[in-house]
Amino acid sequence: MTTLLQTLLLQTLPPDLDPVLLAYIKTVLPAVEEPGMISALNGLLTTWNLLPLLNSKFALSDDEKRLLCLGFTFQGYGHPCQSRTFELDTFWAEWREYLPEINYLAQITQQTVGKNSALARKTAYKIPERRLKLPLHQLLSLGTIAAQLTDPADIVTKPAGDRLREHLKALGIDRTLTYHRLRNCTGLLTNSIHNAVLHFTEKLDWQPLLFFAQGVVYLVPSDSELPDRSKVQAFLWEQISGSLATRMLNGKIGCKRAGQGLKVAPQALELIPPAQLIQNLPGVVAVTVKNETDPATLKRLARLDLRPTEREFLARGADLRSDLIAEFVIFLQKEFFGNNPEFITQVLDQLAIRLAITPEQTQVRTGGFYWGWYHAAAYYVASNPHLESEDVTAKLQDLANQLVTWAEEKKLLPVRSSSTREGFDRYLTQHLELPGWDNPEPSFQQELATYIAAKTKAAKQPICSLSSGEFASEEQMDSVVLFKPQQYSNKNPLGGRQLKRGISKIWSLEMLLRQAFWPIPAGKLEERQPIFLYLFPAFVHAPQVTKAIRLLVNQLKRVNLWEIRRFWQEQGMDSNALRFYPWLRDNPNPDENDKRDLPFIAVTYTTTNGKTTTDAWVEPAFLAIALPLLLGMKVVATASPVPLYNSSSEFSAKAQVDGPPSFWHLLGLPTSMHLEEEIQGQGKHLSDWLDRLLIAYSIHLDCQAKPPKTHWQAFPGTVQAISTNITAIFSLAHSHFQSLFDEKVQQYWQFAQIWATGDLEMEQQLELTQRLVQEYRTFYRVHVAKSTHAIVLPLSKVLEDILSTPSDLPFEDMLLQISGRLHDALRRQEPYERPLIMDQSLSFEIRVNNEIQAVHQFVKTCIKDLFLGQYKGDRALLQEHRNRIKSGAEFAYRLQAMQEPKSKTKKQEIEGAQR
């Protein structure tokens, strides 16, 4: 099996990959994968990308390449012989012959060479020492420094940039470093800007070297000139607007049919020239108007004053075909031609219905909506009943071409400015940074003016609900936003004006891009309770890792927690083994692999068909912890469509959960999780938190779900129970499983042990449960095939007596009284169920006395440690937890029976089987 990181790299690396690097990824990488090693991997890949640029005298041999790989691998691990197994023999059979060189390189920390390397001083090198110093030491140091950068501007603002340039010079690489950076993050829009900059700089021979959430560090020719800001901005606009326009013209985004007819996003009218939009409108209408079973034409005709015979004739064409024609013409008149009489006659002439339908009949309207065009469309279809929907679309295409020719001759098509383009350029001016450009800080005065204007009574541009008042905004359009426009805005003060929520031009672009790349129509995402996952590089990513993350985001399959749970359990409940789980879809969409865009901040989301917040959070809660553990990334999970951070340097946690559901807090999980941290005197690792979450999921799916239904709405109750009392784990299992097999007993006891780790009270509960069973098994044993009642009989008797004795009875009296009752009950059991009595090596009197003492000790433990200690003498609480205590005891009994040597229980098993 390959790990997730292995799979991602092997599927995205070029087919002509260097054999040494390929061998390293296939053999050594899985053995060293952990969040702390991802930095070393990025350093290695960054260095590898420099090898083709090395001065010819520094070209590496295959053995030197292998040494470079192992130098990065063993950084921080000390001497390789003292480390874990790294599958080195498979990677390089002769690696032991190069131990001095490996040790030498592994000790390098930036500029320090061979520090504390006693072995290196005593042993001769097979590789000349001058080669170890240059180029190997320089390459290793360069990669190490590069992998620890946190921001593209570090190459200018921090000493690390100077040291990187020194290493490049020493290696004879005649290039320098530069960067681009965005100071803001929206998600897909800022990712698109980053990628457009990559495409622009590709023509300048800028080589991307390091990828951050907020930009890229490049290797550029020494004589490279600073790009002109206006040319860069024009190129970026062309790339992003062109991508959106293409999808708008396909009818996939930015358009919606509502009660007032076809509506398109304002951006469509700005991005697409009128002639192009008109010529593509028939296809947009065909994609958008899909109400074949409930056509609108018949309802529209009912509003018109028609003769019965005429209404009967028109009814023959009152179907989807008429809807297509009417929506097409109404949109053109509303957006481009207004009440121009020539437009009306042009349409009637092209449809050849001018003699039957007058221009005045087409202009019947209510509230600006031209109902009359449905009359004309129905007449045309009724007169041509043989037409199919495809024929109607073809006719509309011919009509669109004729109208464009006519309108251009008459110069009727409007020339529109683009306020979206203006806002986009201003956004780039304030947020896109290249060394040498003047970057003005965001204008407070302008933002304040925008805010004040939006708050006046005459304001027509409400404040953007996503970005506050930085940019001028417009009213939210249901063809743009993914959530419901103006949600919750109907709570207006008495006598006040209607509240409105706006959206800025920048966030409109973001919403349209999300429509373009995510299979969610406008206005439909919110009702599916999305939880967004923002994936940040922990430090920096090499280009190869960035492409691997793109594959993950595109092909990450829906998390099946039934399968995850089974795989995790089969791997010994080791969350680190989830690296080998098949995370990617088996049959990915081939179009997804063709996308050039790279995820600087990888954005994905989960949705639910359930109704509760718990349903919405179960899957992303798991991914928020699992992905940092598997890939060393930083992950933020939140219900907010707006990223909480612009870069990974703004927060230190590996996993951050924003506004989690109730079960998260009941589980005792922190909202910010670091790779490893000290919690209540115990070192907690990401894998510990993930194990805790998977235990809770497993217990719920075992005991509360009914496949395929998961019933996650009951999950908080499950968590509440097991978080209050550790024996609830056994009680839940006991109520669900009809028979307890050895495998389940061991599994649930392991659940309890992991769950209780670090919780002193729960650890004591488990220890006491085991001790109680050990004590009564000395004088009472039955075969595990017996009923629960028989297995926990002594404990049941004692608990019953404790609950029934007077509360003022002294301890010693209670002890003697309950011990006597238990011994009386024991004497009524079969002799072979009383191991002390069955011991033929002692006299009967001694055996009886031993049994009385054992019973006395067991009852003392029950009263002193269980009732008075754990339950503080609270009979009501003991009564509430009585069944849980007995369930825990049964599991402990079965576990101890399994662990007992077979020779001691053989006779009992035979007797039990006979009975």
Side-chain angles (χ1 to χ4, degrees), residues 17-25 48 62-63 65-66 69 91:
L17 183 67
D18 189 298
V20 173
L21 183 58
L22 180 62
Y24 178 84
I25 292 172
W48 213 272
D62 285 351
D63 283 346
K65 291 177 182 178
R66 295 185 183 100
C69 291
F91 170 62

Side-chain angles (χ1 to χ4, degrees), residues 6 12 188 265 339 543 564 580 595 640-641 701 817:
Q6 256 188 313
T12 53
L188 299 191
N339 294 324
I564 291 282
F580 297 96
K595 293 178 181 176
S640 170
L701 293 175
Q817 182 176 310

Side-chain angles (χ1 to χ4, degrees), residues 762-779:
M762 287 191 174
E763 288 177 346
Q764 291 174 345
Q765 285 179 333
L766 273 186
E767 186 276 330
L768 180 57
T769 301
Q770 285 185 305
R771 182 152 51 91
L772 287 171
V773 173
Q774 286 171 348
E775 289 183 0
Y776 83 67
R777 274 174 57 85
T778 61
F779 61 82

Side-chain angles (χ1 to χ4, degrees), residues 582-718:
W583 291 95
L584 304 184
R585 296 199 301 268
D586 294 329
N587 299 307
N589 185 342
D591 293 338
E592 292 173 341
N593 292 330
D594 294 335
K595 293 178 181 176
R596 295 182 64 190
D597 283 3
L598 297 173
F600 287 76
I601 291 181
V603 185
T604 186
Y605 65 97
T606 62
T607 57
T608 178
N609 293 320
K611 297 180 180 180
T612 68
T613 303
T614 299
D615 287 291
W617 269 99
V618 164
E619 181 181 337
F622 168 75
L623 289 173
I625 310 177
L627 291 178
L629 183 66
L630 302 176
L631 297 171
M633 304 186 69
K634 291 185 175 184
V635 177
V636 177
T638 177
S640 170
V642 180
L644 304 185
Y645 303 102
N646 293 322
S647 70
S648 57
S649 60
E650 294 184 6
F651 64 105
S652 59
K654 278 288 185 179
Q656 185 150 329
V657 180
D658 174 55
S662 61
F663 74 78
W664 188 270
H665 300 294
L666 291 172
L667 285 167
L669 301 177
T671 54
S672 294
M673 299 182 182
H674 298 268
L675 179 60
E676 191 163 3
E677 55 192 329
E678 193 74 14
I679 303 292
Q680 295 179 347
Q682 299 240 346
K684 287 289 186 181
H685 191 272
L686 273 178
S687 58
D688 297 323
W689 301 123
L690 187 57
D691 284 337
R692 187 172 181 82
L693 185 65
L694 286 173
I695 287 173
Y697 284 175
S698 297
I699 293 172
H700 176 83
L701 293 175
D702 274 347
C703 305
Q704 302 286 10
K706 294 181 179 179
K709 295 183 178 180
T710 53
H711 296 298
W712 287 116
Q713 64 271 20
F715 183 57
T718 305

Side-chain angles (χ1 to χ4, degrees), residues 408-455:
E408 288 181 336
E409 290 176 353
K410 297 285 186 177
K411 298 182 179 180
L412 298 176
L413 296 179
V415 178
R416 290 173 170 158
S417 61
S418 175
S419 58
T420 301
R421 168 71 186 275
E422 294 171 2
F424 182 76
D425 283 347
R426 189 157 63 87
Y427 173 84
L428 292 179
T429 299
Q430 291 184 4
H431 294 285
L432 179 60
E433 174 186 333
L434 271 78
W437 280 4
D438 292 329
N439 287 92
E441 293 295 325
S443 172
F444 173 77
Q445 290 79 8
Q446 187 170 10
E447 185 172 343
L448 179 61
T450 301
Y451 180 82
I452 292 174
K455 288 298 182 180

Side-chain angles (χ1 to χ4, degrees), residues 777-816:
R777 274 174 57 85
T778 61
F779 61 82
Y780 174 82
R781 293 190 188 185
V782 295
H783 191 268
V784 291
K786 286 277 192 173
S787 67
T788 298
H789 172 75
I791 290 175
V792 298
L793 177 66
L795 183 60
S796 297
K797 291 287 184 183
V798 174
L799 292 177
E800 182 180 351
D801 285 344
I802 291 174
L803 292 170
S804 61
T805 54
S807 59
D808 58 351
L809 188 67
F811 172 79
E812 290 297 333
D813 293 345
M814 181 187 295
L815 175 59
L816 291 173

Side-chain angles (χ1 to χ4, degrees), residues 569-570 573 740-750 891 898:
Q569 291 173 359
E570 289 171 352
M573 300 182 198
L740 292 172
F741 299 104
D742 289 354
E743 180 183 353
K744 279 297 175 186
V745 171
Q746 291 175 319
Q747 182 184 94
Y748 269 74
W749 195 264
Q750 190 175 353
F891 272 79
M898 284 188 292

